[in-house]
Amino acid sequence: MDLELSEEQQMIKDMTRALLGEHCPIEVVREMEDDPKGYPAGLWKQMAEAGLVGVLIPESHGGGGLGLLEAALVYEELGRAMAPTPHFVSAVLSAGMLLEAGSEAQQEAWLPKIVAGDAILTPAWLEPDRGFGPEGVALAAKREGDEYLLSGVKRHVNYASSAERLIVLARSDDGVELLLVDPSGDGVELKQIRSQSGEAHYRVELRDVRVPVSARIGAAGSGWETFAKVLQDGLVLQAAQAIGGADRCLENTVEYAKVRKQFDKPLGAFQALAHYMADASTQIEGGRVLVHEAAWNGALGRSTARFAPMAKLFACNTYQDVTRVCAQIWGGVAFTIEYDTQMYFRRAKEMQLSWWDTPYLEELVAADVLDQ
Amino acid sequence: MDFDFSPEEQKFADEVEQWLTENHDPVVMDPTRENFTQLADTPERRDFMKKLAKQGWLGMSWPKEYGGQEIEGVYEFILNEALSRHAAPQIGKGVGIIGKTLIRHGSDFLKAEFLPKILSAEVEFAVGYSEPEAGSDAANMQLKADKVDGGWNLNGQKMWTTSAHFADWYWVGARTDPDKPKHDGLSLFLIPMDHAGLEIQSLPTIGKDTTNQVFFTDVFVPDEYLVGKRGQGFQMIAEALDLERFTMFTLSPISERTRVLVDWAKTATRDDKPIRENPDTRRLIANIVTDTAVAKALSTRFVCAAKAGGKPPSIQSSQYKLFTTTLSQRVCDEALDITGAAGTIREGQDEAPIRGRFEGAYRATMNETVGGGSSEIQKNIIARRHLGLPKNF
């Protein structure tokens, strides 16, 4: 057993932190909240040039060809900086689906562009009043000859206004399909939704949108399997991001608790508050090692089916817990916009509710241990 | 990064597993016992410890000079986890607290007298730090040790000495210098447990084990049984506590509790319906299983920090102890919630669900979150040493 990072892994972590420190200070994060585009072009370009956008994509498609563990280290840093980027939807989920099931032509058309940061792709998955499972996908894909005719509404489509293609999860007679759709095409309407974190979310309405069968990723009816597998590995990265956010929020709070005085002594000298912080650091450390264990398993090609949902469940609950108690330590300023704690607090809740939420993950874990 | 044991470590783990299976002894390895607090002393237990000694498995991490093998603590961790999984006694305080402190600080006389006996499992120790006024605040011990000709004269009282009723020797902290600051006025002594001036009174506990209070009346301790230097008792105690948590609180009892609960929940019914179909049960179990994985992750963190050498891994040890003992209690608590009213039926009765294991364990967990440094002490350690928060408590 050995939990140390290799020299290369440490370098990636340090490099990401330095890059985000320079190109994604807190002012930039604030500016991007509720912005229609939602990410700073300069940061995205720098990330692409540094090889971070393509970190998980094989070298044959221009990527870095690194594993889930290295990506998790990058995501912990993205979480610490609260960096607003389309990395997850484009370079993890969309690229992952193309790698998993895309045709050679689809891979060639999109992967190098994704790696270079020149094209953004994003999945259009969730629908109003529908859940996270395969039965949640109801948007109709009616097969007409060599085309699918799409009609329905998607919500929580991240960075849709910047996307060159949406990967729409739709239901045909064969099952769930993954279909590449041009968001600027006829019949597609985007409307920005203001989310709790301020991330660029869109409602996407599709009205009789025609896409050729060649725009389908993978075999007919295989879409859910592909999506769920890619998202499962992606959960590890969401978990890493949550741990990063929790860690930074606690770090800021500990520094504040050392200098801010009440009743003539520093806040950190009050046992009630010190114990909040001790608990938080313990949860964060446990979550971090679990995330690393999940990522390490994934990198070795072992299944992440058990670890990934546990990692996201624990890490997102931890992020929420930690930001909640940090707010108690900051006191009144915590809920003013001027201070940063509220930014972590909002993101923690949004991450907990996104990409498979606490009840859905609990059910995955329960099914894994109780129903076999 | 590597979460697997190395091939050598795995080979040792397999060897231990095979040995424990071949040497299964239903008296020593009672699977219904809770292994955090296996404190019964029987001839079978002493025989078992001697067998472990013959295998060369006691004191593996000690220097060769003192009969050890100078191998990494991870081997002791592997052994302890396996012992615990088989509900067998742990390698114990002699190897950990007492042996390691004597190696670091003891005189040649004390090393020669005790180290060989520890390695051959010929001696059992009790540890006396707590007192009525000094529980978590170990520096506040008041047991008096007055300097007299050729030694020390001890008067006062100790509390919570769990193995006093069967130990051979007592490892005791006492105040030798009442005028010095309280951390600097303590010293450590070794006293034969059958010393005439010691009176042991048992204190039944909520769990299965008995603890004891011990009264000292003019207990004479010769100079050569002072451990280390006069006044360094507190520093040695603090150091040993960091080492102790490694051997005291193994992960296996929690993994076992979680496994037993999950296995039971797979088949149990209420109102003719499988309880595993109950959404609340599913939710509780999902979180217990997840938190058990986190506990395992923290144990890996702890073992790796210990392997890295240098200082005792006090932060990781505190985080691990805090998280796992709290979880252990929660597992029992929620297991009883899931069993419902039947959960109140005491261990050992036919109608008790899961043989009353969680009923008994629930009671015993009160010792886990308090003993060996309470959760609050662990939080103080993390707050001060890890987060660097100011000392004012």
Side-chain angles (χ1 to χ4, degrees), chain A residues 33-52:
Chain A
E33 288 198 355
D34 295 333
D35 182 82
K37 191 169 160 213
Y39 67 95
L43 168 67
W44 190 237
K45 187 162 171 276
Q46 292 295 329
M47 283 178 68
E49 278 174 13
L52 293 178

PDB file of all heavy atoms in Angstrom, chain A residues 33-52:
ATOM      1  N   GLU A  33     -20.594  33.947 -13.117  1.00  0.00           N
ATOM      2  CA  GLU A  33     -21.895  33.499 -12.616  1.00  0.00           C
ATOM      3  C   GLU A  33     -23.002  34.136 -13.443  1.00  0.00           C
ATOM      4  O   GLU A  33     -23.000  35.343 -13.662  1.00  0.00           O
ATOM      5  CB  GLU A  33     -22.050  33.856 -11.131  1.00  0.00           C
ATOM      6  CG  GLU A  33     -21.189  32.991 -10.246  1.00  0.00           C
ATOM      7  CD  GLU A  33     -21.635  33.002  -8.773  1.00  0.00           C
ATOM      8  OE1 GLU A  33     -22.553  33.743  -8.415  1.00  0.00           O
ATOM      9  OE2 GLU A  33     -21.024  32.242  -7.997  1.00  0.00           O
ATOM     10  N   ASP A  34     -23.906  33.336 -13.909  1.00  0.00           N
ATOM     11  CA  ASP A  34     -25.063  33.763 -14.707  1.00  0.00           C
ATOM     12  C   ASP A  34     -24.680  34.304 -16.083  1.00  0.00           C
ATOM     13  O   ASP A  34     -25.539  34.819 -16.801  1.00  0.00           O
ATOM     14  CB  ASP A  34     -25.906  34.817 -13.966  1.00  0.00           C
ATOM     15  CG  ASP A  34     -26.544  34.229 -12.719  1.00  0.00           C
ATOM     16  OD1 ASP A  34     -26.775  33.006 -12.708  1.00  0.00           O
ATOM     17  OD2 ASP A  34     -26.789  34.981 -11.764  1.00  0.00           O
ATOM     18  N   ASP A  35     -23.407  34.222 -16.433  1.00  0.00           N
ATOM     19  CA  ASP A  35     -22.988  34.645 -17.766  1.00  0.00           C
ATOM     20  C   ASP A  35     -23.565  33.652 -18.789  1.00  0.00           C
ATOM     21  O   ASP A  35     -23.567  32.445 -18.542  1.00  0.00           O
ATOM     22  CB  ASP A  35     -21.450  34.623 -17.818  1.00  0.00           C
ATOM     23  CG  ASP A  35     -20.913  35.090 -19.148  1.00  0.00           C
ATOM     24  OD1 ASP A  35     -20.833  36.312 -19.340  1.00  0.00           O
ATOM     25  OD2 ASP A  35     -20.593  34.225 -19.993  1.00  0.00           O
ATOM     26  N   PRO A  36     -24.062  34.137 -19.933  1.00  0.00           N
ATOM     27  CA  PRO A  36     -24.674  33.208 -20.902  1.00  0.00           C
ATOM     28  C   PRO A  36     -23.692  32.154 -21.414  1.00  0.00           C
ATOM     29  O   PRO A  36     -24.059  31.007 -21.656  1.00  0.00           O
ATOM     30  CB  PRO A  36     -25.118  34.115 -22.048  1.00  0.00           C
ATOM     31  CG  PRO A  36     -25.110  35.490 -21.505  1.00  0.00           C
ATOM     32  CD  PRO A  36     -24.159  35.526 -20.347  1.00  0.00           C
ATOM     33  N   LYS A  37     -22.446  32.564 -21.568  1.00  0.00           N
ATOM     34  CA  LYS A  37     -21.436  31.617 -22.046  1.00  0.00           C
ATOM     35  C   LYS A  37     -20.948  30.795 -20.853  1.00  0.00           C
ATOM     36  O   LYS A  37     -20.835  29.578 -20.926  1.00  0.00           O
ATOM     37  CB  LYS A  37     -20.301  32.393 -22.688  1.00  0.00           C
ATOM     38  CG  LYS A  37     -19.342  31.542 -23.439  1.00  0.00           C
ATOM     39  CD  LYS A  37     -18.403  32.436 -24.261  1.00  0.00           C
ATOM     40  CE  LYS A  37     -17.168  31.629 -24.590  1.00  0.00           C
ATOM     41  NZ  LYS A  37     -15.985  32.466 -24.637  1.00  0.00           N
ATOM     42  N   GLY A  38     -20.628  31.462 -19.770  1.00  0.00           N
ATOM     43  CA  GLY A  38     -20.398  30.771 -18.507  1.00  0.00           C
ATOM     44  C   GLY A  38     -18.986  30.319 -18.227  1.00  0.00           C
ATOM     45  O   GLY A  38     -18.709  29.777 -17.161  1.00  0.00           O
ATOM     46  N   TYR A  39     -18.063  30.522 -19.146  1.00  0.00           N
ATOM     47  CA  TYR A  39     -16.669  30.160 -18.849  1.00  0.00           C
ATOM     48  C   TYR A  39     -15.745  31.177 -19.493  1.00  0.00           C
ATOM     49  O   TYR A  39     -16.056  31.716 -20.558  1.00  0.00           O
ATOM     50  CB  TYR A  39     -16.340  28.739 -19.323  1.00  0.00           C
ATOM     51  CG  TYR A  39     -16.362  28.565 -20.817  1.00  0.00           C
ATOM     52  CD1 TYR A  39     -15.194  28.656 -21.565  1.00  0.00           C
ATOM     53  CD2 TYR A  39     -17.552  28.322 -21.492  1.00  0.00           C
ATOM     54  CE1 TYR A  39     -15.209  28.502 -22.936  1.00  0.00           C
ATOM     55  CE2 TYR A  39     -17.583  28.186 -22.861  1.00  0.00           C
ATOM     56  CZ  TYR A  39     -16.401  28.275 -23.587  1.00  0.00           C
ATOM     57  OH  TYR A  39     -16.435  28.148 -24.950  1.00  0.00           O
ATOM     58  N   PRO A  40     -14.601  31.457 -18.866  1.00  0.00           N
ATOM     59  CA  PRO A  40     -13.690  32.439 -19.436  1.00  0.00           C
ATOM     60  C   PRO A  40     -12.881  31.832 -20.573  1.00  0.00           C
ATOM     61  O   PRO A  40     -12.220  30.792 -20.393  1.00  0.00           O
ATOM     62  CB  PRO A  40     -12.773  32.808 -18.261  1.00  0.00           C
ATOM     63  CG  PRO A  40     -13.046  31.817 -17.183  1.00  0.00           C
ATOM     64  CD  PRO A  40     -14.131  30.910 -17.582  1.00  0.00           C
ATOM     65  N   ALA A  41     -12.940  32.477 -21.725  1.00  0.00           N
ATOM     66  CA  ALA A  41     -12.260  31.946 -22.915  1.00  0.00           C
ATOM     67  C   ALA A  41     -10.762  31.782 -22.657  1.00  0.00           C
ATOM     68  O   ALA A  41     -10.149  30.801 -23.080  1.00  0.00           O
ATOM     69  CB  ALA A  41     -12.504  32.870 -24.093  1.00  0.00           C
ATOM     70  N   GLY A  42     -10.185  32.746 -21.936  1.00  0.00           N
ATOM     71  CA  GLY A  42      -8.737  32.709 -21.686  1.00  0.00           C
ATOM     72  C   GLY A  42      -8.341  31.471 -20.892  1.00  0.00           C
ATOM     73  O   GLY A  42      -7.379  30.774 -21.217  1.00  0.00           O
ATOM     74  N   LEU A  43      -9.116  31.187 -19.862  1.00  0.00           N
ATOM     75  CA  LEU A  43      -8.832  30.013 -19.019  1.00  0.00           C
ATOM     76  C   LEU A  43      -8.944  28.727 -19.849  1.00  0.00           C
ATOM     77  O   LEU A  43      -8.085  27.849 -19.783  1.00  0.00           O
ATOM     78  CB  LEU A  43      -9.825  29.963 -17.851  1.00  0.00           C
ATOM     79  CG  LEU A  43      -9.837  28.664 -17.046  1.00  0.00           C
ATOM     80  CD1 LEU A  43      -8.516  28.485 -16.300  1.00  0.00           C
ATOM     81  CD2 LEU A  43     -11.004  28.636 -16.061  1.00  0.00           C
ATOM     82  N   TRP A  44      -9.999  28.660 -20.638  1.00  0.00           N
ATOM     83  CA  TRP A  44     -10.246  27.447 -21.430  1.00  0.00           C
ATOM     84  C   TRP A  44      -9.096  27.208 -22.417  1.00  0.00           C
ATOM     85  O   TRP A  44      -8.620  26.084 -22.579  1.00  0.00           O
ATOM     86  CB  TRP A  44     -11.592  27.591 -22.156  1.00  0.00           C
ATOM     87  CG  TRP A  44     -12.099  26.341 -22.818  1.00  0.00           C
ATOM     88  CD1 TRP A  44     -12.407  26.199 -24.147  1.00  0.00           C
ATOM     89  CD2 TRP A  44     -12.367  25.068 -22.210  1.00  0.00           C
ATOM     90  NE1 TRP A  44     -12.850  24.928 -24.394  1.00  0.00           N
ATOM     91  CE2 TRP A  44     -12.833  24.207 -23.216  1.00  0.00           C
ATOM     92  CE3 TRP A  44     -12.242  24.581 -20.908  1.00  0.00           C
ATOM     93  CZ2 TRP A  44     -13.172  22.882 -22.992  1.00  0.00           C
ATOM     94  CZ3 TRP A  44     -12.589  23.256 -20.678  1.00  0.00           C
ATOM     95  CH2 TRP A  44     -13.051  22.425 -21.699  1.00  0.00           C
ATOM     96  N   LYS A  45      -8.629  28.297 -23.024  1.00  0.00           N
ATOM     97  CA  LYS A  45      -7.523  28.197 -23.980  1.00  0.00           C
ATOM     98  C   LYS A  45      -6.254  27.718 -23.269  1.00  0.00           C
ATOM     99  O   LYS A  45      -5.547  26.832 -23.745  1.00  0.00           O
ATOM    100  CB  LYS A  45      -7.297  29.589 -24.608  1.00  0.00           C
ATOM    101  CG  LYS A  45      -6.299  29.627 -25.723  1.00  0.00           C
ATOM    102  CD  LYS A  45      -6.471  30.912 -26.554  1.00  0.00           C
ATOM    103  CE  LYS A  45      -5.330  31.050 -27.540  1.00  0.00           C
ATOM    104  NZ  LYS A  45      -4.130  31.684 -26.948  1.00  0.00           N
ATOM    105  N   GLN A  46      -6.006  28.306 -22.104  1.00  0.00           N
ATOM    106  CA  GLN A  46      -4.808  27.911 -21.349  1.00  0.00           C
ATOM    107  C   GLN A  46      -4.879  26.436 -20.937  1.00  0.00           C
ATOM    108  O   GLN A  46      -3.885  25.719 -20.985  1.00  0.00           O
ATOM    109  CB  GLN A  46      -4.669  28.765 -20.079  1.00  0.00           C
ATOM    110  CG  GLN A  46      -4.351  30.223 -20.336  1.00  0.00           C
ATOM    111  CD  GLN A  46      -2.989  30.412 -20.969  1.00  0.00           C
ATOM    112  OE1 GLN A  46      -2.072  29.624 -20.720  1.00  0.00           O
ATOM    113  NE2 GLN A  46      -2.852  31.424 -21.800  1.00  0.00           N
ATOM    114  N   MET A  47      -6.064  26.012 -20.533  1.00  0.00           N
ATOM    115  CA  MET A  47      -6.217  24.609 -20.117  1.00  0.00           C
ATOM    116  C   MET A  47      -5.973  23.671 -21.294  1.00  0.00           C
ATOM    117  O   MET A  47      -5.340  22.622 -21.154  1.00  0.00           O
ATOM    118  CB  MET A  47      -7.621  24.368 -19.526  1.00  0.00           C
ATOM    119  CG  MET A  47      -7.773  24.880 -18.100  1.00  0.00           C
ATOM    120  SD  MET A  47      -9.448  24.645 -17.447  1.00  0.00           S
ATOM    121  CE  MET A  47      -9.519  22.846 -17.328  1.00  0.00           C
ATOM    122  N   ALA A  48      -6.473  24.069 -22.455  1.00  0.00           N
ATOM    123  CA  ALA A  48      -6.281  23.230 -23.641  1.00  0.00           C
ATOM    124  C   ALA A  48      -4.795  23.165 -24.002  1.00  0.00           C
ATOM    125  O   ALA A  48      -4.246  22.088 -24.256  1.00  0.00           O
ATOM    126  CB  ALA A  48      -7.098  23.780 -24.809  1.00  0.00           C
ATOM    127  N   GLU A  49      -4.145  24.327 -23.974  1.00  0.00           N
ATOM    128  CA  GLU A  49      -2.719  24.365 -24.337  1.00  0.00           C
ATOM    129  C   GLU A  49      -1.869  23.564 -23.357  1.00  0.00           C
ATOM    130  O   GLU A  49      -0.869  22.971 -23.730  1.00  0.00           O
ATOM    131  CB  GLU A  49      -2.230  25.821 -24.400  1.00  0.00           C
ATOM    132  CG  GLU A  49      -2.576  26.459 -25.734  1.00  0.00           C
ATOM    133  CD  GLU A  49      -2.237  27.934 -25.800  1.00  0.00           C
ATOM    134  OE1 GLU A  49      -1.499  28.431 -24.915  1.00  0.00           O
ATOM    135  OE2 GLU A  49      -2.726  28.586 -26.745  1.00  0.00           O
ATOM    136  N   ALA A  50      -2.295  23.546 -22.101  1.00  0.00           N
ATOM    137  CA  ALA A  50      -1.533  22.797 -21.094  1.00  0.00           C
ATOM    138  C   ALA A  50      -1.851  21.295 -21.138  1.00  0.00           C
ATOM    139  O   ALA A  50      -1.299  20.508 -20.368  1.00  0.00           O
ATOM    140  CB  ALA A  50      -1.832  23.350 -19.710  1.00  0.00           C
ATOM    141  N   GLY A  51      -2.759  20.915 -22.010  1.00  0.00           N
ATOM    142  CA  GLY A  51      -3.088  19.488 -22.147  1.00  0.00           C
ATOM    143  C   GLY A  51      -4.119  19.014 -21.144  1.00  0.00           C
ATOM    144  O   GLY A  51      -4.374  17.817 -21.015  1.00  0.00           O
ATOM    145  N   LEU A  52      -4.727  19.957 -20.420  1.00  0.00           N
ATOM    146  CA  LEU A  52      -5.659  19.538 -19.370  1.00  0.00           C
ATOM    147  C   LEU A  52      -7.044  19.177 -19.920  1.00  0.00           C
ATOM    148  O   LEU A  52      -7.744  18.363 -19.337  1.00  0.00           O
ATOM    149  CB  LEU A  52      -5.806  20.641 -18.318  1.00  0.00           C
ATOM    150  CG  LEU A  52      -4.549  20.919 -17.488  1.00  0.00           C
ATOM    151  CD1 LEU A  52      -4.808  22.059 -16.512  1.00  0.00           C
ATOM    152  CD2 LEU A  52      -4.108  19.657 -16.742  1.00  0.00           C
TER     153      LEU A  52
END
